[in-house]
Amino acid sequence: MTDPGLTVTGLTVKRGGLTICDDVSLDVPTGEVTVLLGANGAGKSTLLDGVAGVLPGSSGEVRLASTRIDRWPRHRRARAGLGYVEQGRTVFSRLTVAQNILVADPGGNSLREALEMFPQLREKVATRAGLLSGGEQQMLLIARAMVRRPRILMIDELSLGLAPRIVSDLMTVVADLARAGTGVLLVEQFASLALKIGTTAHLIERGRITRTESCSQLLQDPSILENAYLGNASATANSEKSADEAG
């Protein structure tokens, strides 16, 4: 039987007093990449913030390995095995690469493991994270999240602002993480890239999951994505923008 990993049931999340995500339910099994797709302003980042505890959920449940965690503070969810790579490359810019890693796992073998995952960082261990390229910062964030050995890793807009070659390399790493047993919930603007490494995809429109399909099916029928992205993009963007551009 597939390990459920992360289970979200009827989750409603508000931002700026407005309901952005409404009654959202989805599963993120371990050992798979689950893809969350939708137009800008559809509520993707708000949903991840609600699951991680950055924003409180006003109703619904979040369970990790069958344990309810939605009433826990963010740091306790992280310790329980919920990793989160947020949009915006939130490295500790004044700390070195090595220090960024050790903050997440002081005294462990985390630095060695991080450099094995991303050899490109090997020559940058003493470099301040704020001086890294965008791709290197994204590598650092994934490595920092993984040294805690999360059961589930949520990644928001992996490819934002990155060159195609870097994106391809990062996608390969994400696929490898899933094959090694981590469950990944991936929000990604380049749908075709995400679908190629994913198993199941959820389409979110105006803060609600409107369709769940296998990634292979969506790759074969791009019209489904075109309707989701183009047919409702304007309305969803305007709605969420009024709530501090939740995204």
Side-chain angles (χ1 to χ4, degrees), residues 20-21 35-47 87 156-157 187-191 202-210 224-241 245-247:
I20 303 301
C21 295
V35 182
L36 182 64
L37 300 172
N40 289 336
K44 304 183 296 296
S45 294
T46 295
L47 177 61
Q87 185 180 151
D156 192 3
E157 297 291 6
V187 169
E188 176 51 50
Q189 59 180 330
F190 291 115
H202 302 279
L203 302 184
I204 185 169
E205 301 177 38
R206 306 186 190 187
R208 299 180 69 94
I209 300 295
T210 58
I224 298 174
L225 289 179
E226 290 173 5
N227 290 335
Y229 276 73
L230 301 178
N232 297 282
S234 177
T236 48
N238 289 337
S239 173
E240 194 165 4
K241 184 177 181 180
E245 296 182 349

Side-chain angles (χ1 to χ4, degrees), residues 52-53 64 67-78 80:
L64 184 65
T67 299
R68 187 170 180 180
I69 66 170
D70 52 271
R71 297 173 181 171
W72 293 1
R74 180 180 182 179
H75 68 273
R76 188 178 176 189
R77 300 186 202 198

Side-chain angles (χ1 to χ4, degrees), residues 128-176:
R128 287 198 303 178
L131 300 178
L132 299 178
S133 68
E136 290 167 342
Q137 288 188 17
Q138 196 70 295
M139 293 174 195
L140 177 57
L141 287 171
I142 294 172
R144 193 175 72 191
M146 286 305 300
V147 297
R148 290 179 173 267
R149 296 176 175 79
R151 188 182 193 86
I152 300 294
L153 178 63
M154 303 191 300
I155 306 176
D156 192 3
E157 297 291 6
L158 178 72
S159 69
L160 190 64
L162 302 182
R165 179 182 60 81
I166 300 298
V167 175
S168 178
D169 290 345
L170 289 172
M171 288 289 181
T172 298
V173 170
V174 171
D176 289 344

Side-chain angles (χ1 to χ4, degrees), residues 34 49 54 58 79-80 86 88 93 123 133 137 150 163 176 203 206 213:
T34 300
D49 282 351
V54 178
S58 57
R79 285 202 302 263
E86 299 177 60
S93 60
E123 297 180 359
S133 68
Q137 288 188 17
D176 289 344
L203 302 184
R206 306 186 190 187
E213 294 279 0

Side-chain angles (χ1 to χ4, degrees), residues 18-32:
L18 297 178
T19 297
I20 303 301
C21 295
D22 186 19
D23 193 28
V24 173
S25 298
L26 56 80
D27 294 328
V28 183
T30 55
E32 297 181 9

Side-chain angles (χ1 to χ4, degrees), residues 59-140:
S59 63
E61 294 186 1
V62 179
R63 292 182 179 272
L64 184 65
S66 300
T67 299
R68 187 170 180 180
I69 66 170
D70 52 271
R71 297 173 181 171
W72 293 1
R74 180 180 182 179
H75 68 273
R76 188 178 176 189
R77 300 186 202 198
R79 285 202 302 263
L82 182 61
Y84 186 18
V85 177
E86 299 177 60
Q87 185 180 151
R89 311 213 175 94
T90 53
V91 297
F92 299 119
S93 60
R94 294 183 178 274
L95 300 184
T96 66
V97 167
Q99 290 167 336
N100 265 267
I101 297 297
L102 294 174
V103 163
D105 183 29
N109 295 316
S110 52
L111 183 58
R112 176 182 57 80
E113 294 171 358
L115 296 179
E116 288 176 355
M117 186 182 304
F118 294 110
Q120 300 94 318
L121 297 178
R122 195 176 302 277
E123 297 180 359
K124 302 291 182 74
V125 290
T127 301
R128 287 198 303 178
L131 300 178
L132 299 178
S133 68
E136 290 167 342
Q137 288 188 17
Q138 196 70 295
M139 293 174 195
L140 177 57

